[in-house]
Amino acid sequence: MHPSREPVDLLIGPAAQVATPRAAERPPAGPQQGRLEVIPGGAVAVRDGRIVAVGPYADLARRYDPAEVLDASGCTVVPGFVDPHTHLCFAGWRAEEFERRLAGASYQEILAAGGGILDTVRRTREASEVELAAALRRRLLEVLRLGTTTVEVKSGYGLTTADELKMLRAIRRAADPADDLDGTWPLGAGAWGPANGPRLRKNRPGATGSGGPGSGSDVDAGDGAGGARLAGGGTAGGGAAAGAGGAAATWAAAGTAHARPTAGTAPPRAAAGAAARAAVPAAGPVAAGPAADRAGGHGDLGSGLVLPEVVATFLGAHAVPPEYRGRPDEYVDRIVEEMLPAVAREGLAEYADVFCEQGVFDLEQTRRIVEAARRLGFRIRLHVDELTPLGGAGLAARVGAVSADHLLHVRDEDIPRLREAGTVATLLPGTAFFLREPYAPARKLIAAGVPVALATDYNPGSHPAGSMPLVMAIACVGMGMTPTEALVASTLGGAWALERAQRLGSLEPGKQADLVVIDAPSYQHLAYRLGTVPVVAVVKGGRVVVA
Ligand code: NIG
Ligand code: FE
């Protein structure tokens, strides 16, 4: 070690560019929405899961002595994506409904006839907590590989107290990297976990082998062009360059020592876990309960499993369940009197949400739920003006919602109200695209100074996809946002929408080391390449996942 250089765990760089918004006292809005700092030939230095410096690689290489280097030559480094609106916990897809919609049936007609969301409700009620958790964990890993390092997940396909609690417990368990889901999820060496997909099996000794289990496809040797390389700085297990071996690998850092679970060299779980817990005092990834400290943190470093941070939202008011058909007010009573208190008691969700929509929950019902939720300490985010101009955005502003989501049909008079209330407009243009609805007026919102975040809405009905780069592309082509605005909205904007902007959403000293390395010479490629730009590495809390 060079005596004058400060030791760090990881240096990411040199990169073609490092691009990041800069955090301020308020969420990026208006002209700030389109402002990014771009460092050509940049690098990021990381210690104990946090960023210690961002700047030109030449400077950082002089100042820091890294245990490991993630070479990002030819690549661009951006903050990890923060997706503040998903329905990722569900059982069963709805491909046949897609066909029916294309044949002319509307989303609302299908819901009114007991399909749509209610179809997913039937299947989610049938699933066990562990089944839901395993399906969710696979999707969490899917979105992590697409660059999402923090994701909000809603309940809302249970619609009974027991089934909503089951969903929320599944969300908590899926997000906990130390939970082996009743033995169904191999941790340690098999941490990447079960997934469908082809496996390359060794039939003769000496044949070139594959990587470990569960990487989806293990046959993705790749040519290594433009990919990120992790080079060890003399720490355990860190020497072999991931990517050169071909197989997808998850690198789990325990302190500065790196174990490669797929190679079977992971340290014994208990010991590593204990060491990691000692080193990282932060809590698990789901903040406990409403009004909980939103400090969060990274997961169990001993389990070998790297997951996005998960933020849980209770959405018991997602649809009127069949048992209450025609009696929505009685279902609202049930939410207010039974469900919300039960969720609060177990500390299972930080936010409460309502699908405020014609034929679902009207303004008055939404207001009742919101008031009850606030009394119990929940923070508020709302689905508003998605399919009809009901005036939900005005209500969101009035009740001080953290975020008003969708806004395809936001009324002009409600736009300044959002700005005055400090409510983030979370736009989901992938949903408008998939439902073939008009887009939200992003340009009007930005011109009015309303902070805009982007989200996927990942769910089986209105947007069955979890790619933030795809959403950025649709935001640009469909809503006229610029690639710069779209990236800000997908990182720092999302972090504000989840009240985590002090810790997440930008690459700045002191912030959690959550970042994405894309195989492209500039950040504009995220939107420009229609969501197909390769994510070659993701760093979550300083831990490197090489795709
Ligand atoms: O945000 N609008 C209500 N909820 C989701 C759709 C959920 C579903 O169709 O399963 C949305 O679009
Ligand atoms: Fe939604």
Side-chain angles (χ1 to χ4, degrees):
M1 182 180 108
H2 194 287
S4 63
R5 290 193 302 160
E6 201 185 308
V8 290
D9 299 332
L10 177 66
L11 185 64
I12 299 129
Q17 65 175 214
V18 174
T20 178
R22 263 193 193 236
E25 292 293 296
R26 300 170 157 279
Q32 291 301 330
Q33 186 84 50
R35 223 153 272 164
L36 271 180
E37 189 176 345
V38 177
I39 306 163
V44 181
V46 175
R47 187 172 46 229
D48 296 331
R50 300 203 165 262
I51 294 170
V52 292
V54 181
Y57 175 78
D59 289 359
L60 267 55
R62 246 192 322 275
R63 271 160 53 202
Y64 298 103
D65 177 33
E68 290 189 314
V69 177
L70 184 65
D71 180 348
S73 302
C75 298
T76 293
V77 176
V78 297
F81 308 134
V82 179
D83 184 351
H85 181 142
T86 83
H87 307 254
L88 262 185
C89 183
F90 62 85
W93 295 95
R94 305 201 319 249
E96 55 314 310
E97 174 186 318
F98 178 45
E99 299 232 4
R100 279 172 61 199
R101 281 199 300 104
L102 292 171
S106 80
Y107 182 83
Q108 281 144 303
E109 275 162 23
I110 292 169
L111 177 59
I117 293 173
L118 295 176
D119 196 38
T120 305
V121 168
R122 268 187 294 280
R123 292 203 257 175
T124 302
R125 286 179 177 179
E126 279 161 22
S128 71
E129 180 182 305
V130 158
E131 283 164 350
L132 287 173
L136 170 56
R137 188 174 280 175
R138 280 195 289 272
R139 292 182 200 122
L140 292 176
L141 291 168
E142 176 198 350
V143 302
L144 182 72
R145 291 187 147 209
L146 295 169
T148 298
T149 48
T150 302
V151 60
E152 185 257 16
V153 181
K154 301 175 198 295
S155 70
Y157 294 120
L159 311 187
T160 65
T161 304
D163 288 304
E164 286 293 303
L165 290 174
K166 176 180 76 179
M167 282 190 80
L168 289 166
R169 291 183 192 125
I171 293 169
R172 171 141 82 187
R173 293 187 64 180
D176 176 0
D179 193 325
D180 69 358
L181 308 184
D182 296 349
T184 63
W185 195 283
L187 294 177
W192 196 254
N196 301 320
R199 297 274 183 284
L200 187 61
R201 213 178 41 232
K202 233 192 252 188
N203 274 339
R204 270 177 290 111
T208 12
S210 71
S215 53
S217 166
D218 290 332
V219 200
D220 58 348
D223 61 9
R229 298 272 180 286
L230 188 64
T235 50
T250 306
W251 293 79
T256 55
H258 282 66
R260 187 180 187 180
T262 53
T265 53
R269 190 183 144 208
R277 270 186 289 274
V280 183
V286 179
D293 153 32
R294 274 168 280 280
H298 26 99
D300 179 354
L301 300 190
S303 72
L305 184 59
V306 180
L307 292 168
E309 177 171 332
V310 172
V311 181
T313 296
F314 168 65
L315 178 58
H318 194 194
V320 179
E323 313 82 78
Y324 284 90
R325 213 189 154 107
R327 299 180 293 132
D329 283 315
E330 288 172 45
Y331 182 60
V332 171
D333 292 343
R334 180 58 69 97
I335 292 173
V336 166
E337 288 159 19
E338 191 180 294
M339 292 190 189
L340 280 166
V343 174
R345 236 181 344 262
E346 276 192 55
L348 286 168
E350 193 172 329
Y351 293 95
D353 190 349
V354 178
F355 186 15
C356 177
E357 183 57 60
Q358 196 173 74
V360 193
F361 297 97
D362 65 21
L363 291 171
E364 177 53 23
Q365 290 158 344
T366 304
R367 200 190 49 75
R368 276 185 64 208
I369 295 166
V370 164
E371 280 175 6
R374 295 190 68 145
R375 276 196 298 275
L376 290 163
F378 291 92
R379 314 270 300 152
I380 306 300
R381 41 199 334 106
L382 294 173
H383 284 70
V384 290
D385 302 325
E386 178 178 356
L387 305 166
T388 51
L390 212 61
L395 177 67
R398 260 198 315 286
V399 302
V402 173
S403 173
D405 299 26
H406 285 293
L407 301 170
L408 275 58
H409 298 275
V410 62
R411 299 180 312 188
D412 280 347
E413 63 266 35
D414 287 334
I415 292 177
R417 294 181 179 136
L418 289 173
R419 184 197 51 230
E420 280 149 31
T423 299
V424 177
T426 296
L427 306 184
L428 305 103
T431 302
F433 173 73
F434 194 69
L435 295 182
R436 304 202 294 168
E437 294 281 338
Y439 291 97
R443 289 259 57 94
K444 265 193 198 173
L445 289 159
I446 292 171
V450 179
V452 169
L454 289 171
T456 61
D457 204 13
Y458 194 163
N459 74 75
S462 68
H463 189 70
S467 167
M468 286 298 290
L470 173 62
V471 166
M472 286 180 227
I474 301 173
C476 293
V477 177
M479 304 196 298
M481 287 175 72
T482 67
T484 312
E485 290 168 336
L487 179 59
V488 172
S490 301
T491 54
L492 191 56
W496 275 99
L498 293 178
E499 300 179 282
R500 282 157 167 77
Q502 303 310 317
R503 182 167 54 83
L504 307 175
S506 62
L507 304 177
E508 295 177 277
K511 281 207 155 174
Q512 189 166 305
D514 288 6
L515 56 87
V516 182
V517 185
I518 56 166
D519 182 7
S522 74
Y523 72 86
Q524 284 93 344
H525 282 240
L526 280 163
Y528 160 61
R529 306 263 290 274
L530 299 177
T532 65
V533 70
V535 169
V536 286
V538 179
V539 177
K540 175 67 192 163
R543 303 172 72 194
V544 183
V545 182
V546 179

